[in-house]
């Protein structure tokens, strides 16, 4: 296999001269892959994760689990590592799909042990989901990561684990820290404020079947963001054989209970990452084109499924067919007033499309984005305005009044979704230079090749 060429510090975002007409095979979901890895690692028997996402975040998760003693065997076909794009070429599409379907990871649970060191990078799922696993290790586990990871909220997980019986050394409720695993955790009831990240709740739930008394997590703060991700966690726990009581199943609001018990070694095929489908769907909207995303699930807990409604309201149309999701742009982009509190990760892409619309937009309910890979609200405001846009940051979102944009450098702040937002704008605005497009490797490997392939370049 040939090495991927190094990407330039400033990547010239391709400008679309024509309407896009392409089939795009989107890699697997990061959220599903990393949850599946945790559940398989804690199971009573080996399991399989098929068509996993191979990106920086998921490889960091796999590496962290291996450091704790979990066996992960990878079967990777060369075809599945290639860009899976075709511009309406059925043979190429079928070959790419066949390559992706041949990839699988076999997870072999074993006695968790330390001492160990885990590099979380800047992955929220790794820095939050692995510390509860580390409490089950015999020995100390040190967690460290990128400089930005030191600034991201982790206090809810640390405080929750301490209340459940864990011993943790940290300086300020954030990374770096050391979890002193004792081979087991008491568990039981705990109150946490998860208003800064729903991952605090998911982190405690995923390992809870292995706690002596399970867990009862009660959220006591302001409204929870990104609730679909908690529903995803609950759904995957149940598939692995866990007994979970949740608000959606008639339980008490803001309370989740997991009963202790053995987890099954499941055989799970990872869905395409619907949030990572966003820039490709946006391309159809921006260019009045047509994009097909194969294997779009008819039923899913992924927040990205909301794109069907949001981008339709902004001027497109979509249909679920045997081919997958077929999304078509109409040639008009309308502004939108939308609450994105449950789907905050979609905000950068929606903001990029809104900056190209024919009327103003208001994006609400996403104050928590200030604590993501970067302060996404401040970053989007600054970068779009420096291209001639008119974006105002509000207490919980953005107000966007479209103006003619000009070329220029779009900084990404090491944030993958800032990079894909810049690529969307570049379709309509010549001369956009994207700083550090390689940051997309966090969740969307080889994005530049996927993007240029979609455009037939």
């Amino acid at each position: 296999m040939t090495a991927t060429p190094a990407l330039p510090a400033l990547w010239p975002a391709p400008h679309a001269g024509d309407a896009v007409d392409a089939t795009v095979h989107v890699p697997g979901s990061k959220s599903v892959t990393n949850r599946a890895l945790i559940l398989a690692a804690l199971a009573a028997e080996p399991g399989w994760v098929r068509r996993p996402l191979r990106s920086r975040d998921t490889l960091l998760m796999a590496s962290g689990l291996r450091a704790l003693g979990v066996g992960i065997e990878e079967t990777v076909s060369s075809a599945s590592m290639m860009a899976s794009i075709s511009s309406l070429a059925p043979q190429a599409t079928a070959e790419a799909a066949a390559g992706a379907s041949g990839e699988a990871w076999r997870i072999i649970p074993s006695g968790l042990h330390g001492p160990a060191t885990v590099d979380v990078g800047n992955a929220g799922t790794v820095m939050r989901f692995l510390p509860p696993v580390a409490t089950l290790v015999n020995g100390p586990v040190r967690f460290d990561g990128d400089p930005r990871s030191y600034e991201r909220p982790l206090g809810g997980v640390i405080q929750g684990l301490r209340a459940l019986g864990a011993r943790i050394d940290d300086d300020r409720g954030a990374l770096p820290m050391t979890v002193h695993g004792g081979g087991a955790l008491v568990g039981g009831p705990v109150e946490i404020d998860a208003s800064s990240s729903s991952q605090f709740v998911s982190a405690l739930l995923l390992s809870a079947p292995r706690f002596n008394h399970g867990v009862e997590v009660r959220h006591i703060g302001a409204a929870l963001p990104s609730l679909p991700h908690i529903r995803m966690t609950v759904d995957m726990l149940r598939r692995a054989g866990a007994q979970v009581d949740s608000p959606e199943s008639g339980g008490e609001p803001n309370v989740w209970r997991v009963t202790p018990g053995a987890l099954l070694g499941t055989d799970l095929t990872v869905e395409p990452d619907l949030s990572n489908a966003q820039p490709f769907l946006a391309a159809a909207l921006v260019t009045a084109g047509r994009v097909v995303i194969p294997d779009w699930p008819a039923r899913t807990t992924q927040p990205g499924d909301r794109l069907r409604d949001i981008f339709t309201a902004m001027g497109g149309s979509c249909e679920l067919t045997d081919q997958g999701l077929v999304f078509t742009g109409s040639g008009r982009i309308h502004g939108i007033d939308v609450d994105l509190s449950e789907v905050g990760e979609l905000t950068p892409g929606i903001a990029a499309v809104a900056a190209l619309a024919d009327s103003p937009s208001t994006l609400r309910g996403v104050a928590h984005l200030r604590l993501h890979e970067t302060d996404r609200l401040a970053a989007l405001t600054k970068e779009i305005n420096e291209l001639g846009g008119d974006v105002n940051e509000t207490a919980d979102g953005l107000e966007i009044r479209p103006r003619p944009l000009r070329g220029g450098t779009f900084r990404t702040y090491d944030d993958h979704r800032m990079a894909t937002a810049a690529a969307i704008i570049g379709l309509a605005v010549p001369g956009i230079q994207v700083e550090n497009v390689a940051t997309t490797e966090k969740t969307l490997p080889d994005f530049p090749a996927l993007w240029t392939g979609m455009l037939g370049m």
Side-chain angles (χ1 to χ4, degrees):
M1 189 184 304
T2 58
T4 301
L7 293 166
L10 291 178
W11 179 67
H15 180 253
D18 298 305
V20 168
D21 199 347
T23 295
V24 182
H25 285 269
V26 177
S29 163
K30 176 203 74 174
S31 298
V32 173
T33 299
N34 276 355
R35 282 165 173 78
L37 284 171
I38 293 283
L39 292 171
L42 296 176
E45 56 193 353
W48 289 90
V49 179
R50 302 187 188 275
R51 298 179 68 176
L53 173 67
R54 289 181 58 88
S55 71
R56 188 185 186 216
D57 279 17
T58 60
L59 294 176
L60 284 167
M61 179 66 85
S63 178
L65 287 169
R66 286 190 179 108
L68 302 183
V70 178
I72 302 178
E73 299 174 352
E74 300 182 39
T75 301
V76 185
S77 67
S78 59
S80 69
M81 296 297 290
M82 297 172 62
S84 301
I85 283 287
S86 69
S87 296
L88 294 185
Q91 183 178 356
T93 301
E95 289 172 354
S101 65
E103 183 172 1
W105 292 352
R106 186 169 185 252
I107 319 300
I108 306 167
S110 58
L112 298 172
H113 58 77
T117 298
V118 173
D119 176 12
V120 309
N122 191 19
T125 51
V126 181
M127 73 178 68
R128 292 162 185 153
F129 293 179
L130 276 182
V133 178
T135 67
L136 307 173
V137 169
N138 278 305
V141 181
R142 178 170 173 79
F143 289 87
D144 208 339
D146 297 352
R148 173 63 180 172
S149 72
Y150 292 10
E151 303 170 18
R152 298 188 67 181
L154 190 58
V157 175
I158 295 173
Q159 294 158 17
L161 289 175
R162 282 191 177 130
L164 295 172
R167 186 162 69 91
I168 301 173
D169 292 339
D170 69 289
D171 291 331
R172 52 196 177 81
L175 292 177
M177 68 178 187
T178 299
V179 177
H180 295 275
L185 194 69
V186 175
V190 61
E191 293 184 345
I192 63 170
D193 181 352
S195 55
S196 59
S197 176
S198 68
Q199 289 177 358
F200 295 174
V201 174
S202 289
L204 298 178
L205 298 183
L206 285 166
S207 294
R210 290 283 300 272
F211 299 165
N212 293 344
H213 300 294
V215 82
E216 177 188 284
V217 179
R218 184 179 299 270
H219 165 62
I220 57 170
L224 269 169
S226 305
L227 273 171
H229 280 115
I230 299 179
R231 297 184 193 118
M232 176 187 294
T233 298
V234 170
D235 182 66
M236 293 183 68
L237 275 162
R238 287 175 176 153
R239 288 193 203 181
Q243 215 174 333
V244 187
D245 180 40
S246 68
E248 293 75 30
S249 58
E252 190 177 349
N254 289 327
V255 178
W256 294 262
R257 296 181 180 89
V258 179
T259 302
L263 291 172
L264 306 175
T266 59
D267 190 329
L268 181 142
T269 299
V270 178
E271 299 171 349
D273 193 313
L274 306 189
S275 295
N276 277 342
Q278 181 182 42
F280 305 104
L281 299 180
L285 193 55
V286 169
T287 68
R290 175 180 178 271
V291 167
V292 180
I293 308 291
D295 302 317
W296 192 287
R299 174 191 172 276
T300 182
T301 53
Q302 286 194 62
D305 195 43
R306 276 279 308 279
L307 286 167
R308 291 192 289 167
D309 296 330
I310 293 169
F311 277 172
T312 295
M314 296 186 80
S317 62
C318 65
E319 182 183 6
L320 268 177
T321 71
D322 292 340
Q323 291 179 279
L325 181 71
V326 180
F327 189 83
T328 308
S330 64
R332 297 284 302 275
I333 305 173
H334 308 307
I336 193 170
D337 186 330
V338 61
D339 184 342
L340 299 176
S341 57
E342 292 201 348
V343 291
E345 65 197 52
L346 303 179
T347 302
I350 293 170
V353 173
L356 304 171
D358 59 12
S359 57
S361 294
T362 300
L363 314 184
R364 297 177 282 105
V366 287
H368 60 286
L369 293 189
R370 296 186 172 95
L371 301 171
H372 276 227
E373 282 80 347
T374 187
D375 179 341
R376 285 178 172 167
L377 300 184
L380 286 164
T381 300
K382 182 175 186 296
E383 297 309 313
I384 295 174
N385 286 350
E386 288 194 354
L387 301 178
D390 184 2
V391 181
N392 285 331
E393 189 176 342
T394 67
D396 74 336
L398 299 172
E399 293 176 343
I400 303 170
R401 286 169 289 278
R403 287 183 175 179
L405 301 181
R406 58 179 177 267
T409 298
F410 196 103
R411 293 167 181 81
T412 62
Y413 309 90
D414 296 323
D415 186 333
H416 56 131
R417 300 208 191 277
M418 289 293 293
T420 53
I424 293 168
I425 292 174
L427 291 172
V429 181
I432 300 295
Q433 301 276 326
V434 185
E435 177 199 65
N436 187 21
V437 74
T439 194
T440 52
E441 292 172 4
K442 177 180 172 67
T443 61
L444 191 50
D446 213 12
F447 169 73
L450 288 166
W451 195 248
T452 54
M454 173 190 69
L455 296 170
M457 298 182 178

